Amino acid sequence: MFVSDCRREFYDLIVTQRVLLLVASDVDALCACKILQALFQCDHVQYTLVPVAGWQELETAFLEHKDQFKYFVLINCGANVDLLEILQPEEDTYFFVCDSHRPINVVNVYNDTQIKLLVKQEDDLDVPAYDDIFRDEEEEEEEEEDSEKESDGSEPLEKRRRFEEEVIERTMKRRQRREWEARRREILFDYEQYEYHGTSSAMVMFDLAWVMSKDLNDMLWWAIVGLTDQWVQDKITQMKYVTDIGILQRHVSRHNHRNEDEENSLSIDCMRIAFEYDLRLALYQHWSLYESLCNTCYTSASLKLWSVQGQKRLQEFLADMGLPLKQVKQKFNSMDMSLKENLREMIEESANKFGMKDLRVQTFSIHFGFKNKFSASDIVYATTSLMENIEKEGPETTNFIKALDSLSRGNLDKLHQGLDLAKKQLRAIQQTVASCICTNLVISQGPFLYCSLMEGTPDVKLFSKPVSLCLLSKYLLKSFVCSTKNKRCKLLPLVMAAPMDVEQGTVIMVGIPPETESSDKKNFFGRAFEKAAESTSSRTLHNHFQMSIIELKTEDRSKFLDALISLLS
Amino acid sequence: MEPAEVEFLAEKELVTIVPNFSLDRIHLIGGDLGPFNPGLPVEVPVWLAINLKQRQKCRLIPPEWMDVGKLEEIRDQERKEDTFTPMPSPYYMELTKLLLNYASDNIPRADEIRTLVKDTWDTRMAKLRLSADSFVRQQEAHAKHPACPQQALPSSPSFQPFQALAQLLQQFCTDTNAHHNPGQGENRSKNPESSLVRRENQHRSCYKARLHPSQAPQHGEG
């Protein structure tokens, strides 16, 4: 059931209760969790936080805690499957689901009592009408029983006539029923075929805080980071991103208008958010401009930096802007001020000449103290790499907690650690992409492109985590589209596989939609993977909340792929 | 006294807030507070004000003396005079720190205020050091510190040497008393009770002073 008034139907209910928060492992969920935690702290709500990385963990956590809690809040998990069937809860447990995964399962939408969806209604959800999917089962049975009874007691002649009529009626009904069921299957198939993402959960939580007039600049910043995470991971369309940025821009000007007033300006330690039409280069203010140009997907793909020609083009690009190599290779903060002043406009002009039309993007940046300035995408990269840090430093949840902490302003050391890890990750991605393209590892299988990372590849361990692998696949697809001359291949989606756990012999596989100008980011690989796994009875684990990411055994890989090819062609 | 103790005592000072919730009078051990009505200013102790501010339930109004003009005057006066000038509040340093850390968005020109208070503080510390220095040189047995802030003693980074200095001073005074004419010092009375008090103070300061063992005063004198 959709919650229309977040405050009355959600927050006021849980403010006096103990709540269990189940949070998925992505940056948007972390930001939403932070906002909700801040609200809970204001009102002294008792809660327990459990990070979950997949369906199995969700079930385990639920089983552990179901005796102690009646109210569960699920963040970025749980909307796209039938929750009641998976978790089998008691009658009096309530689930509040704030999830950006779509499509929302129809059972969750039409359940009136236990499942409440914290979703904005403006999102085009296209949920099928109730009558098309559900039918009163009892009516059907009664009618059949009646008709059977009637056929027993009557006189012979009339009996036969009536019997014939009833047989005709019954066959008509059965045919209607079969037609209805076929239509239902078709509707459900269309509805659930494509996976996509709706509004960021962090923005939904910020809305809740705003409605309660408890919104702070900090919470606004987390909402911005949640939205930027969706953009960095290519989960939403450009149009939606721009619309959401507009919404957040209004909040930003409301909170941050005091900076212009000289008389009453805020202390320098106060946090300020500013809207910027900034460069799309990853981490460029914490790195050198040269490194950033080399390791950002957009520039490296457009300039084709994996080839020698590409390197020459980069030099031409820098020369065109008039930036000396020595300046560009040192840390950004140490570059000459005269070069930094008009940097954005200069780069945009030159970029237009080299075919990079979208080098600037609308985003926000945060500024507190004298030396701390971060852009939203910096924080996204840092938090993602902290969360998926492969170095095990304790129990499983330390990475999650560390990433959660790094979002607070007081934990700058964790943030800087995250930035360093992010630089390593971006470099590893670039090198892997370059090697894949140079060695032609991306092969066309017919209906899709396929690339598989071998075990001995450097940094392959980094890509055993889902988000990193998704980032790698998107960069690879973009670079491949720029490098190939085959027009048909440019429109194909990509399936990427990487070794996950060498001891257990598992492989993690990711499917991403094709890279087109006006892509609507809808991904059909979720259902395709399910069907292929069923038909070949491969040992797969659909553990991830996003259906297009699965794990399977290395031995079953080839037959799985064959099934997938035959399914999609 | 530890800095944390002084801060704890400072949090009992009253400050004005403007709440955004309503609550009837609350009866606490230290006294009654409230009633709270949205939009109407009310006086509460600093500890409650900070807690409410962190829970976004109020807006803090800076005390009257926390204003750039007034603080500039105080600082200039402190620099002109040789002795300590009276401060607007005995806990001005702690209050500044607490309010500027947690509520700097409610205080206009917070950075300047921080600088001014720090300047005043530095001037007073310098005066304290000078006077202690002259105290030792002139072998005075009595030092009067009018309006010396309570916190000047423990929280200064130079407290350890100052404590050592105080220790030596006491020792020196008792020596002086034992061997010289009692009429020399001002506050040396022949009252046996006061000498007991003095000895007790010596013992107490022994526990608190983190002196080098060789410098520890010996008991049984004076």
Side-chain angles (χ1 to χ4, degrees):
Chain A
M1 177 174 109
F2 290 109
V3 159
S4 48
D5 186 349
C6 250
R7 179 182 195 169
R8 241 167 276 162
E9 297 176 36
F10 164 57
Y11 199 73
D12 287 345
L13 287 180
I14 60 175
V15 94
T16 46
Q17 308 282 344
R18 286 186 63 200
V19 180
L20 183 68
L21 278 183
L22 293 158
V23 180
S25 299
D26 66 87
V27 180
D28 185 24
L30 282 174
C31 295
C33 173
K34 274 298 231 197
I35 298 180
L36 199 55
Q37 274 183 320
L39 288 174
F40 283 169
Q41 275 165 8
C42 286
D43 290 320
H44 292 325
V45 175
Q46 295 180 315
Y47 68 96
T48 306
L49 173 64
V50 179
V52 289
W55 297 111
Q56 285 181 343
E57 292 186 27
L58 182 67
E59 280 175 64
T60 335
F62 178 73
L63 286 172
E64 257 182 60
H65 292 103
K66 67 176 178 178
D67 297 324
Q68 302 160 24
F69 292 94
K70 292 270 173 274
Y71 289 88
F72 295 81
V73 178
L74 280 71
I75 302 190
N76 259 1
C77 51
N80 44 1
V81 288
D82 188 353
L83 265 183
L84 295 179
E85 201 186 302
I86 289 192
L87 297 178
Q88 306 278 338
E90 308 285 318
E91 282 293 318
D92 57 350
T93 33
Y94 294 94
F95 295 90
F96 295 97
V97 180
C98 180
D99 193 351
S100 62
H101 291 109
R102 305 276 181 272
I104 308 184
N105 192 288
V106 289
V107 176
N108 290 347
V109 171
Y110 289 117
N111 178 303
D112 277 334
T113 49
Q114 289 186 283
I115 301 190
K116 321 260 181 190
L117 297 164
L118 301 169
V119 166
K120 276 202 206 173
Q121 292 279 24
E122 291 111 29
D123 279 352
D124 45 342
L125 293 167
D126 295 334
V127 184
Y130 183 77
D131 293 322
D132 286 342
I133 327 175
F134 299 106
R135 194 172 185 158
D136 244 347
E137 295 281 326
E138 296 173 359
E139 272 181 26
E140 292 282 314
E141 288 171 22
E142 277 180 27
E143 284 180 23
E144 286 197 22
E145 276 180 28
D146 283 341
S147 55
E148 279 175 28
K149 273 193 212 146
E150 278 181 28
S151 63
D152 285 337
S154 259
E155 293 170 26
L157 260 182
E158 288 176 9
K159 196 176 168 184
R160 207 187 301 155
R161 223 182 300 140
R162 222 174 291 168
F163 186 61
E164 283 173 9
E165 284 175 9
E166 275 154 23
V167 164
I168 296 173
E169 260 188 65
R170 243 183 288 160
T171 37
M172 288 289 296
K173 275 200 197 120
R174 251 183 256 145
R175 196 187 307 165
Q176 270 181 8
R177 185 165 185 172
R178 259 180 270 137
E179 279 174 12
W180 179 86
E181 278 190 358
R183 217 180 28 233
R184 172 181 185 263
R185 251 173 289 154
E186 214 184 283
I187 292 179
L188 274 182
F189 180 74
D190 283 336
Y191 178 62
E192 293 178 350
Q193 188 186 27
Y194 287 101
E195 254 195 315
Y196 58 104
H197 286 264
T199 317
S200 136
S201 324
M203 282 184 63
V204 171
M205 285 297 166
F206 179 75
D207 246 10
L208 169 67
W210 180 44
V211 158
M212 298 199 299
S213 302
K214 287 204 159 128
D215 55 327
L216 284 180
N217 232 359
D218 281 305
M219 297 186 191
L220 179 55
W221 177 246
W222 291 325
I224 291 174
V225 173
L227 173 64
T228 315
D229 172 61
Q230 283 197 319
W231 177 76
V232 163
Q233 294 199 33
D234 229 6
K235 286 182 180 168
I236 51 175
T237 59
Q238 187 68 10
M239 190 67 129
K240 177 140 180 65
Y241 177 69
V242 170
T243 324
D244 286 345
I245 288 269
I247 297 176
L248 288 175
Q249 162 73 338
R250 290 199 280 272
H251 290 294
V252 165
S253 26
R254 181 169 59 92
H255 276 283
N256 291 287
H257 63 275
R258 279 169 75 179
N259 305 338
E260 289 87 41
D261 186 4
E262 280 299 321
E263 285 272 317
N264 287 325
S265 57
L266 289 176
S267 159
I268 196 81
D269 285 329
C270 283
M271 183 182 89
R272 295 147 205 251
I273 305 181
F275 174 78
E276 293 193 3
Y277 193 36
D278 203 358
L279 295 173
R280 208 169 165 175
L281 305 173
L283 303 177
Y284 78 96
Q285 286 171 343
H286 306 275
W287 221 349
S288 69
L289 196 56
Y290 186 75
E291 291 271 356
S292 188
L293 280 167
C294 290
N295 291 318
T296 304
C297 167
Y298 186 68
T299 45
S300 124
S302 316
L303 296 172
K304 304 199 183 65
L305 287 181
W306 51 84
S307 60
V308 176
Q309 273 289 20
Q311 297 287 341
K312 279 201 201 137
R313 288 189 76 195
L314 179 62
Q315 310 282 1
E316 278 174 32
F317 179 59
L318 291 171
D320 190 62
M321 286 194 284
L323 296 171
L325 256 185
K326 205 167 141 201
Q327 287 288 329
V328 154
K329 282 194 178 170
Q330 61 178 343
K331 275 186 76 134
F332 187 77
N333 288 332
S334 328
M335 268 174 80
D336 272 348
M337 277 309 293
S338 54
L339 294 171
K340 277 201 277 191
E341 262 161 31
N342 291 329
L343 187 69
R344 290 180 196 169
E345 285 80 24
M346 274 196 318
I347 289 197
E348 194 179 10
E349 251 183 72
S350 306
N352 276 329
K353 288 187 219 162
F354 282 77
M356 297 189 278
K357 303 239 179 330
D358 294 322
L359 198 55
R360 284 175 84 171
V361 72
Q362 300 175 342
T363 184
F364 296 94
S365 73
I366 186 183
H367 182 194
F368 54 95
F370 283 104
K371 55 175 184 164
N372 301 311
K373 181 164 200 263
F374 301 100
S375 145
S377 55
D378 297 343
I379 307 283
V380 168
Y381 284 119
T383 318
T384 315
S385 43
L386 271 179
M387 212 166 45
E388 306 212 320
N389 193 358
I390 43 174
E391 288 155 41
K392 286 246 168 194
E393 287 172 4
E396 300 247 321
T397 50
T398 15
N399 283 340
F400 182 90
I401 300 293
K402 215 174 188 181
L404 197 62
D405 285 340
S406 76
L407 286 171
S408 300
R409 267 188 293 144
N411 297 318
L412 282 176
D413 54 338
K414 296 198 177 124
L415 185 58
H416 285 293
Q417 191 189 4
L419 284 171
D420 288 331
L421 285 172
K423 288 181 197 167
K424 268 193 224 157
Q425 189 190 45
L426 283 171
R427 260 197 220 115
I429 289 182
Q430 266 328 105
Q431 285 167 359
T432 316
V433 164
S435 74
C436 282
I437 297 204
C438 291
T439 55
N440 289 325
L441 268 178
V442 182
I443 34 188
S444 163
Q445 298 278 21
F448 57 85
L449 301 165
Y450 176 69
C451 177
S452 164
L453 293 182
M454 295 294 127
E455 254 164 59
T457 327
D459 299 318
V460 80
K461 281 215 173 63
L462 277 177
F463 305 122
S464 59
K465 302 276 178 179
V467 178
S468 312
L469 189 60
C470 279
L471 267 180
L472 172 67
S473 358
K474 292 197 204 280
Y475 285 20
L476 183 58
L477 186 58
K478 281 206 185 103
S479 309
F480 181 77
V481 161
C482 291
S483 79
T484 185
K485 295 208 180 26
N486 188 336
K487 288 237 165 89
R488 206 182 70 83
C489 278
K490 290 197 198 219
L491 302 171
L492 292 178
L494 171 69
V495 170
M496 183 105 195
M500 183 156 169
D501 192 339
V502 182
E503 289 147 38
Q504 294 180 6
T506 49
V507 154
I508 179 172
M509 205 176 259
V510 153
I512 56 173
E515 173 73 28
T516 50
E517 286 287 320
S518 57
S519 145
D520 55 359
K521 316 283 180 203
K522 295 203 176 184
N523 193 343
F524 55 74
F525 278 109
R527 302 288 155 194
F529 281 169
E530 263 180 30
K531 290 216 181 90
E534 267 176 46
S535 61
T536 56
S537 60
S538 322
R539 292 160 287 172
T540 56
L541 188 60
H542 299 258
N543 192 28
H544 207 258
F545 295 121
Q546 233 176 302
M547 304 298 230
S548 53
I549 304 179
I550 61 166
E551 302 166 29
L552 75 152
K553 290 270 185 198
T554 329
E555 299 93 33
D556 298 337
R557 193 167 38 170
S558 36
K559 63 176 174 172
F560 180 81
L561 277 174
D562 291 332
L564 199 60
I565 295 173
S566 54
L567 188 67
L568 292 175
S569 45
Chain B
M1 272 200 276
E2 302 282 315
E5 281 179 46
V6 181
E7 186 173 308
F8 182 74
L9 292 172
E11 284 177 343
K12 279 173 30 173
E13 295 289 307
L14 291 177
V15 77
T16 319
I17 62 164
V18 177
N20 61 18
F21 61 99
S22 61
L23 189 62
D24 287 333
R25 272 190 115 74
I26 49 177
H27 307 285
L28 305 175
I29 294 177
D32 287 354
L33 292 175
F36 297 92
N37 291 307
L40 297 179
V42 63
E43 292 226 329
V44 293
V46 169
W47 57 268
L48 183 61
I50 302 277
N51 183 287
L52 290 175
K53 173 76 186 165
Q54 284 176 320
R55 290 164 60 190
Q56 297 175 58
K57 291 199 185 297
C58 75
R59 179 169 65 90
L60 271 168
I61 296 184
E64 296 172 317
W65 52 266
M66 207 177 265
D67 163 67
V68 176
K70 291 216 182 81
L71 286 173
E72 274 179 350
E73 274 177 37
I74 293 179
R75 179 197 60 178
D76 294 333
Q77 201 187 7
E78 189 73 40
R79 281 180 178 167
K80 274 192 301 202
E81 305 279 325
D82 277 343
T83 57
F84 292 105
T85 51
M87 278 284 125
S89 156
Y91 296 108
Y92 72 98
M93 194 66 185
E94 296 81 4
L95 285 177
T96 317
K97 174 195 162 242
L98 284 168
L99 294 179
L100 289 179
N101 274 355
Y102 293 105
S104 57
D105 48 339
N106 290 145
I107 299 174
R109 300 167 81 175
D111 294 332
E112 293 178 39
I113 290 181
R114 207 190 284 261
T115 322
L116 286 168
V117 169
K118 184 84 174 88
D119 285 344
T120 318
W121 167 258
D122 285 339
T123 319
R124 289 167 76 84
M125 282 313 296
K127 282 189 198 169
L128 194 61
R129 270 183 242 120
L130 270 177
S131 74
D133 190 47
S134 65
F135 180 37
V136 176
R137 276 182 213 286
Q138 293 163 27
Q139 298 183 1
E140 272 175 50
H142 180 88
K144 186 162 180 234
H145 290 280
C148 178
Q150 218 161 352
Q151 215 220 3
L153 296 175
S155 77
S156 68
S158 53
F159 181 37
Q160 301 304 347
F162 185 71
Q163 214 169 9
L165 186 59
Q167 194 62 26
L168 287 170
L169 281 174
Q170 272 189 317
Q171 200 49 48
F172 181 72
C173 292
T174 52
D175 285 345
T176 330
N177 193 37
H179 300 297
H180 292 284
N181 198 334
Q184 221 172 15
E186 280 178 26
N187 67 344
R188 287 284 171 253
S189 64
K190 292 201 191 132
N191 193 340
E193 277 178 71
S194 70
S195 65
L196 281 173
V197 167
R198 273 203 311 277
R199 193 181 301 186
E200 196 185 23
N201 283 340
Q202 271 182 335
H203 282 272
R204 269 206 215 123
S205 53
C206 280
Y207 286 113
K208 286 191 193 166
R210 289 145 185 73
L211 293 172
H212 196 268
S214 62
Q215 285 176 25
Q218 286 122 35
H219 310 296
E221 284 194 335

